[in-house]
Amino acid sequence: MSVLPAGIPAEVIHAAGDGPRPLPAAANVGMFRPRDVYGVLRPRTVEEVREVVLAFSHSPHGPRLHAVSTGYNWGLGSREPAVGDVVTMDLSGLDQVRRTDTDGGWAVIEPGVTQIRLAAMLAGTGRMLNLTASSGHTSVLGNIVDRGVGLRRQRTMDLAGLEVVLPDGELIRTGWWPNEDGTTAVNPQGLGPSPLALFTQSDLGVVTAAVVRLLPRPEAHRVLRAGFGRKDLAAALDELRRWTAQGLVSGVLKVYDTVSTASYGGVGGEYLAHICVDGTRRSVDAVTRAIEEEAADSGLFGPVLRSDEQPAAADDLVARALERAYVGDPAHNEEMLRSAVGRHAAQVDTKGGGWLFFLPLLPFTGRAVAQAQDLLDKVHAETGVRAGSTVNALDPDVIDLVVSFRFPRTEQDAERAHRALDLTYEMFSAAGFVPYRLDSDHHSWVDRLSPDPAARAFVRRLKQAVDPHGVIASGRYA
C-alpha cells in the first residue's frame, strides 16, 4: 500500500511500495546523511502543485512535502531534505519562461528554468542574467530562493516578485508583478509590510514562479587578472577593497587561492584576482589604465593581464569561464564543473568526486581574509583535509567566501571531509564569520547563529499560523 495520499495528479517518478518503507537512499556528491524519502513527484503545472499540496493537507499523518527545483544544490546536500519522512516534489517540470521584457529588464520564470536556457534567450539583447559560476544546468530560481550569489551581485537583489502555493493550496503573488502592458515600474517591496523575503530560505510555501530582474548588458567588457603571494594577502585585499570602493571594479571581484585555482584547472602557485571592468569603450580603457597604474604603484601584484590582450590559456578554465560568465554567457561553466568533480551536471551526484561547501560572509578587510586562511590552515593541520577558498567581494564591505572541500568518495575519506567541515563551522563561527547558507546536516545551526532567539521564535509562530498541519517539511533554515 502506498504512503502517498490518494488522488495525486502529478507524475509519480518513484514511490515506496507496500508498507511504510522509504525509497533506497539517493546519492549526493557531498555524501551527506540520507533521510527517509517515500516518493518523488513531478508536477508540470502550477495547478498540479496546488492539487498535490491540497492532497497532503488532507493527509496529516503521512510524509511531508519537500520541494526542489532541479536538485543541483551540490555541496550542500543536493536534493537531500533536512529532515526525514518526506515525499520530494521535483519542480523541474515547471520549466516555462512565461514572459520577458528586455526594455523593462525582467523575466517571469518557473523553477525548472536553467541558467543556460535563460541566458540563451537573452543572447543578442540589451539585457543579461546575473549568472553564477556554477553549471548552466542549475536552476535560476532555486539559487535565488536559497540566497545564492551571482557574478554581478547577490541573487536576492535580482528578485522582484514570487508566486507561492501556500500550505492550504492558495496561490499568492508577492512583491512586484507586471501588469498586462508592462508599464509599471519595478517595485519589489510594494506597499506596506512586504512578505517577499519570507519565502526565501523558507518552508512557508512552495515557490512556483518568480519575477527576475535582468541587468543591462555592458557596451564594452574586459577582465583583468592580477596575481600575488600569500605574504601579501592582507595588503593586496586591502588594496582591492580600495579599488572596489572607488568604483574601479564592475560586478563581483573574485580572488581564487592556489587550491581553488588548481581545483578548476587553473595554473600558477599564487592567489589570483579576477577584476571585471565594463561600461563604454572609453570608460573601460580608462579604468583599465587606472588599475594597471594602481597595481604597479602598490608593488603588491605581478603583471596585470588583460583578457583582450592575453586571453586565458586553454587549460585556465577559471579565467575562460569568468570572461564569458560576467557578461551573461555560461559557455565555459561546464568545463569548470567537470574539472572540479570529473562529471557533467547529470552525473555529479551519482559519479562525481566528493564535494562539500561552507559559505560564510566576512568583512572585506585584508585582516579578515588572512584570518580565514589561517583558520583553514588549522583545519588542514587537524584533519589532513585541505580546503580551497574563493573570495567573492559583494561590495566594499562584505565578502562571500566560498570554502570547498574535495575528497575521494570512500567512506573513510568522506568521514574526514565531514569532520573538516564540522571543524570549519566551529572555528569560523567562533571568529564571527557566520555562514549565510547551510547544508542539510547543519540545519540546527540556524538557532546557534541567530542573533536574537525571539526573532527565531517569531518565525516559528508564522510557520505554525501558515502551516498548522505541517504540510511542508521543515527546511534547512526552520
Side-chain angles (χ1 to χ4, degrees), residues 375-398:
L375 292 176
L376 294 178
D377 287 343
K378 291 180 180 178
V379 171
H380 177 232
E382 291 197 28
T383 66
V385 178
R386 171 70 74 182
S389 66
T390 304
V391 165
N392 295 289
L394 305 180
D395 58 38
D397 299 312
V398 179

Side-chain angles (χ1 to χ4, degrees), residues 343-427:
R343 297 287 174 168
H344 57 74
Q347 294 183 329
V348 167
D349 281 311
T350 55
K351 298 180 179 180
W355 214 16
L356 296 171
F357 285 113
F358 174 69
L359 303 171
L361 294 179
L362 275 61
F364 191 167
T365 66
R367 177 181 178 182
V369 175
Q371 183 180 357
Q373 293 297 301
D374 290 342
L375 292 176
L376 294 178
D377 287 343
K378 291 180 180 178
V379 171
H380 177 232
E382 291 197 28
T383 66
V385 178
R386 171 70 74 182
S389 66
T390 304
V391 165
N392 295 289
L394 305 180
D395 58 38
D397 299 312
V398 179
I399 281 172
D400 154 37
L401 187 71
V402 177
V403 177
S404 61
F405 299 89
R406 296 175 64 198
F407 60 95
R409 283 177 74 167
T410 68
E411 291 297 330
Q412 183 178 5
D413 288 306
E415 183 178 349
R416 290 173 60 235
H418 278 266
R419 179 169 171 257
L421 179 64
D422 290 340
L423 192 58
T424 303
Y425 266 87
E426 295 286 352
M427 287 185 173

Side-chain angles (χ1 to χ4, degrees), residues 54-287:
L54 279 171
F56 275 77
S57 71
H58 296 147
S59 179
H61 304 298
R64 304 293 85 197
L65 278 171
H66 165 62
V68 300
S69 51
T70 58
Y72 291 162
N73 197 16
W74 298 312
L76 298 175
S78 299
R79 61 175 53 225
E80 200 66 44
V83 297
D85 297 328
V86 305
V87 169
T88 296
M89 183 158 57
D90 179 338
L91 300 176
S92 61
L94 275 72
D95 59 359
Q96 298 302 304
V97 178
R98 298 183 187 174
R99 191 173 170 188
T100 60
D101 186 331
T102 54
D103 290 331
W106 50 264
V108 181
I109 63 171
E110 293 181 343
V113 175
T114 61
Q115 295 200 109
I116 197 168
R117 182 175 169 207
L118 186 54
M121 292 181 67
L122 297 171
T125 74
R127 296 285 178 164
M128 65 181 187
L129 177 63
N130 175 25
L131 283 176
T132 74
S134 187
S135 167
H137 299 288
T138 55
S139 166
V140 176
L141 183 47
N143 185 258
I144 287 176
V145 297
D146 204 35
R147 301 180 191 161
V149 170
L151 288 171
R152 290 289 173 168
R153 60 190 184 185
Q154 287 180 290
R155 275 269 181 86
T156 49
M157 296 177 69
D158 301 330
L159 181 61
L162 286 173
E163 178 182 271
V164 184
V165 175
L166 296 178
D168 62 0
E170 181 181 4
L171 183 72
I172 67 168
R173 288 177 175 175
T174 182
W176 179 85
W177 281 78
N179 59 0
E180 287 301 316
D181 58 7
T183 56
T184 62
V186 177
N187 177 19
Q189 300 308 314
L191 295 171
S194 173
L196 184 61
L198 287 175
F199 297 103
T200 62
Q201 294 191 350
S202 169
D203 55 10
L204 298 177
V206 178
V207 174
T208 52
V211 183
V212 176
R213 303 190 73 171
L214 307 173
L215 299 175
R217 194 178 298 277
E219 294 178 15
H221 163 72
R222 186 173 295 151
V223 178
L224 311 180
R225 306 188 299 277
F228 56 91
R230 175 69 181 264
K231 67 180 179 59
D232 293 318
L233 176 61
L237 263 293
D238 285 336
E239 183 68 9
L240 291 168
R241 182 189 187 189
R242 186 173 73 87
W243 300 354
T244 303
Q246 297 307 311
L248 299 182
V249 181
S250 305
V252 172
L253 172 106
K254 295 180 75 74
V255 182
Y256 287 81
D257 72 1
T258 55
V259 178
S260 282
T261 298
S263 296
Y264 293 115
V267 294
E270 58 184 4
Y271 288 78
L272 188 61
H274 298 260
I275 306 157
C276 177
V277 179
D278 54 39
T280 67
R281 181 181 57 79
R282 291 186 180 91
S283 72
V284 169
D285 287 341
V287 172

Side-chain angles (χ1 to χ4, degrees), residues 290-301:
I291 289 176
E292 290 171 334
E293 292 169 3
E294 295 288 350
D297 290 347
S298 74
L300 297 168
F301 304 94

